Structures are given as structure tokens and as C-alpha cells.
Amino acid sequence: MAGSPENAMVLSSTADEDEKQRESRSKREIISTLPTEKAWKIQGLMYQYQGFWYYSGGAVEGVMWMQKCFKARNEDVLLVSFPKCGTTWLKSLMFSIMNRTRYDFSAHPLLTSSPHELVPFLEFYAEQNIPFPDLDTLSSPQLFHTHIAFTSLPQPVIDSQCRIVYICRNPKDVFVSSFCFLSRWNIVVPLEEAFELFCKGISVYGPFWDHVLGYWKASLASPQRILFLKYEDVKRDSLCQVKRLAEFMGFPFSSEEEGQGLIHEIMELCSFENLRNLKVNKTGAISVGNVSTGKDTFFRKGEVGDWKNHLTAEMADRIDRIMEEKLKGSGLTFSDSCDS
Ligand code: PAP
């Protein structure tokens, strides 16, 4: 049997296993040297990797794996967001824009699947070590999502011409939305404590300001590759922002489509009220990385300015001052109410 193809296969799979174990050991060694904080969660540590905070060592391991394995093609589109900035909404809008000629609105996948099931979250594959989809077997273009910071993006994403859409939101609503989301799991520390941590930059994928500034500066340097959107602008002027989004993605609406009211149909399908009330988004759970959460947790209020119901005037003032200092000279500002 020596030298037979079967033996060669056994030897190579053992070598693969050895290599995987070596890699995993070396990742764990690196992780054991990273700064940690007992933060936000009642149990477990957060880890800081490449300047940003992750909710577990496993999450960092996943990011390292993604940096090594994920590739994007020039035609693919990557949605990036800081958590709670409008990911679910943008996933729905971008999926609908990209696939508008494939599906009828009466039998649209968004009526029967969560937006998170339709647009893959890269960290989900990474954390569970599920092989990324083999791009050669998939139609082009594909739509992916990640929360990772600009400076941590896998090199093939930077090297390719794939387009990146970044959605951000005013930090006060982001903090409140994150806090309410985690509160649903009954593992979160009290609001005041979580607020302190957020202000120190210690939140999942934080610091918030470094995350937004990374993509803001990159979007100024390469506007043809990175579209920087704000949740408040999409709320205030959905029509204009959805048209802008479609053009950037390479799927502009024709005047005929506009005349047929297609943009309005997409806006209506993806609206907070419509999605939240669908059975598929009200029941059942979904995996986000290594944890499972109710699908309904992604639909809370969907408003601009809900922070006013949760933060004191002092807290609001404190975040404003931090942002003023951190974003100074960048040209990036946030509106935190519906009026501006
Ligand atoms: P994620 O980053 O963890 O995936 P993400 O979707 O960004 O979460 O954030 C959820 C927020 O978007 C929630 O905000 P809130 O807590 O202030 O209410 C959620 O209500 C809001 N949201 C979800 N879907 C929509 C939508 N279709 N339109 C507007 N806002 C939405």
C-alpha cells in the first residue's frame, strides 16, 4: 500500500491537521498577550486586537482567520458597519437593490428570511471556522458584511477593487441601541457602567470614533471605492440616499424603473415597520458569531434621537465633547435628532 493514492491522502490530511493545530496554537499564544478588560458583560473578558475591542478571544481568533482566508472579487460589494448603526436596514436595501430583477415583490426573499440570513456576516464563518464560500462557485457579484475596522480588513479586500459601503450613526443612539440589545441577553452591566466604558472606547468593535474615522478618511481618499453613509441621512432622505447607494453599487435605477415606482417599493419593503412586523423577523433565533439571538432583537425602535429617553443631559454632553475632540479637523459630524 506504500505510495498508494489512499496513503498519500491520509498523510496530507494529517499534515493539514497538524498545520491547523499549529496555527490555532500560535493564534492562542498571540491572544494570550493581548490587552483585556472585564467589560460590558457580567462574565468573560473583552480583548483588544489591532486597536479595537472584541467580545471574546474566540472573536479575535475569527478575525485572524478571516484576515488570512477571505478573498473578495472586484465586482463584490462589502457592507461594513459599527454595530447598531443600521446593518439590518442596509443589508435589506442592498440585497433588494442588487437582486431587483430576480425576485417579484410578492414573493421576495425578505418576506421569508431575515436580512441577516440573506447577507452573510463574515465573522460568523470566521468564528466557527466554517470555510468561506468558494467564490469561484458563486455568481458575481456577491454581497458580504463585516463589522471590522478599516485597518483590520483582509489584505485581498484592500488590494481588490471591490466596493465598500460603510454605514454609521450618531454615537448616542449607537450606545443606547447597543445597551438595549445586550440587555435582552441579561448579561449586561448597568447603564452607567456601560456608558463609562463606551466613553473610554471599550465597546464591541470600539473605540467608536476610531472605527468611523478609519472609514471616513478612506472614503475621502477613495470615494469611488468607499461610500460613507449616515443612518440619519437615510432616514431623512431615503429616496436620494437609496438612489446614491444603487449607483455606487453599480446598479443604478433607470428612469423607467424610477417611473414605475421601484425605488419606493424597495424603501417600503425594507422599512422598519414592514420588516419588524413580518413573522420571519418576529420569531426564532439567529447565530451572530458564536452566540444566538432572537431575530426580533434587531428591530427595536428604529428612530433617530431615542437617546433622549435613556441618557441624562450630562451623559449626552460628555459624548458630544468626546466626539468634538476626537473628530476635530476631520470634517465628520453627526446629527442626533431628526431636525438637522
Ligand atoms: P447589528 O449591527 O448588530 O446588525 P443594526 O441592524 O445595525 O445591528 O442595529 C439595529 C438598529 O437598527 C436598531 O436600532 P434601535 O435600537 O435604535 O431601535 C433597529 O431598530 C434599527 N433598525 C433595524 N431595521 C431597521 C430598518 N429597516 N430601518 C431603520 N432602522 C432599523
Side-chain angles (χ1 to χ4, degrees):
M1 284 290 281
S4 73
E6 289 82 2
N7 262 4
M9 269 170 66
V10 171
L11 284 176
S12 94
S13 76
T14 314
D16 283 356
E17 268 317 299
D18 287 351
E19 173 61 20
K20 265 193 202 155
Q21 281 181 11
R22 255 197 309 278
E23 246 184 55
S24 176
R25 229 186 352 262
S26 108
K27 277 184 200 158
R28 280 200 300 272
E29 271 164 28
I30 297 172
I31 290 168
S32 69
T33 65
L34 297 177
T36 56
E37 280 280 343
K38 188 150 178 47
W40 281 80
K41 304 171 293 178
I42 285 161
Q43 289 178 326
L45 291 175
M46 286 179 71
Y47 288 73
Q48 192 186 37
Y49 174 62
Q50 299 182 335
F52 292 86
W53 288 96
Y54 292 87
Y55 62 83
S56 67
V60 175
E61 208 172 317
V63 171
M64 290 172 168
W65 194 70
M66 177 170 144
Q67 288 173 328
K68 181 167 174 248
C69 303
F70 180 69
K71 302 192 172 44
R73 294 168 299 186
N74 291 342
E75 313 73 40
D76 294 332
V77 184
L78 186 63
L79 166 65
V80 188
S81 56
F82 189 84
K84 304 300 154 204
C85 284
T87 317
T88 313
W89 194 11
L90 263 287
K91 278 187 176 184
S92 318
L93 286 170
M94 291 168 76
F95 180 88
S96 309
I97 289 169
M98 210 176 218
N99 294 293
R100 65 181 183 263
T101 55
R102 288 179 66 194
Y103 304 115
D104 196 88
F105 282 96
S106 60
H108 199 279
L110 276 168
L111 301 176
T112 47
S113 302
S114 152
H116 296 281
E117 290 164 325
L118 296 175
V119 182
F121 176 46
L122 292 178
E123 285 90 322
F124 169 80
Y125 293 96
E127 278 175 45
Q128 315 216 351
N129 276 14
I130 299 172
F132 289 116
D134 178 359
L135 290 180
D136 294 337
T137 65
L138 297 177
S139 61
S140 172
Q142 289 290 316
L143 181 56
F144 298 103
H145 168 248
T146 179
H147 281 312
I148 68 173
F150 182 72
T151 42
S152 292
L153 283 177
Q155 196 56 39
V157 171
I158 302 288
D159 294 342
S160 77
Q161 288 304 309
C162 84
R163 278 170 261 206
I164 298 173
V165 173
Y166 184 75
I167 179 85
C168 71
R169 187 180 190 185
N170 83 75
K172 295 190 284 256
D173 281 337
V174 171
F175 167 73
V176 167
S177 183
S178 307
F179 181 78
C180 293
F181 178 74
L182 290 178
S183 299
R184 288 280 306 269
W185 300 356
N186 292 326
I187 55 157
V188 78
V189 296
L191 181 98
E192 292 69 23
E193 208 176 306
F195 181 78
E196 274 303 314
L197 291 163
F198 187 85
C199 289
K200 284 192 206 154
I202 306 170
S203 64
V204 179
Y205 294 92
F208 170 84
W209 46 87
D210 285 341
H211 203 282
V212 294
L213 272 179
Y215 285 96
W216 171 249
K217 287 180 185 165
S219 75
L220 295 180
S222 309
Q224 71 293 348
R225 280 213 55 205
I226 301 173
L227 177 68
F228 191 95
L229 294 176
K230 296 179 186 169
Y231 182 95
E232 294 76 19
D233 292 344
V234 186
K235 268 268 169 198
R236 198 168 31 241
D237 192 0
S238 300
L239 183 68
C240 169
Q241 297 298 328
V242 170
K243 273 169 76 170
R244 192 174 163 222
L245 177 61
E247 262 167 47
F248 177 81
M249 290 169 66
F251 293 84
F253 290 101
S254 66
S255 39
E256 200 188 351
E257 284 177 321
E258 271 198 58
Q260 287 164 352
L262 196 63
I263 309 181
H264 285 280
E265 264 188 284
I266 288 179
M267 279 158 44
E268 173 50 33
L269 174 70
C270 302
S271 70
F272 177 79
E273 291 71 24
N274 185 55
L275 291 180
R276 184 179 64 160
N277 289 318
L278 292 173
K279 189 169 168 232
V280 63
N281 294 322
K282 284 205 250 189
T283 49
I286 194 163
S287 294
V288 185
N290 261 344
V291 290
S292 175
T293 184
K295 290 182 190 168
D296 64 323
T297 56
F298 292 97
F299 302 91
R300 194 182 61 93
K301 281 197 171 172
E303 287 171 5
V304 178
D306 184 46
W307 60 268
K308 291 180 186 129
N309 299 315
H310 297 265
L311 304 184
T312 62
E314 291 73 34
M315 285 169 146
D317 193 48
R318 171 127 175 250
I319 297 200
D320 287 346
R321 276 186 284 113
I322 292 171
M323 290 305 144
E324 213 177 293
E325 185 209 317
K326 300 286 183 188
L327 305 184
K328 199 168 170 183
S330 69
L332 176 60
T333 54
F334 289 103
S335 61
D336 53 18
S337 70
C338 288
D339 333 315
S340 41

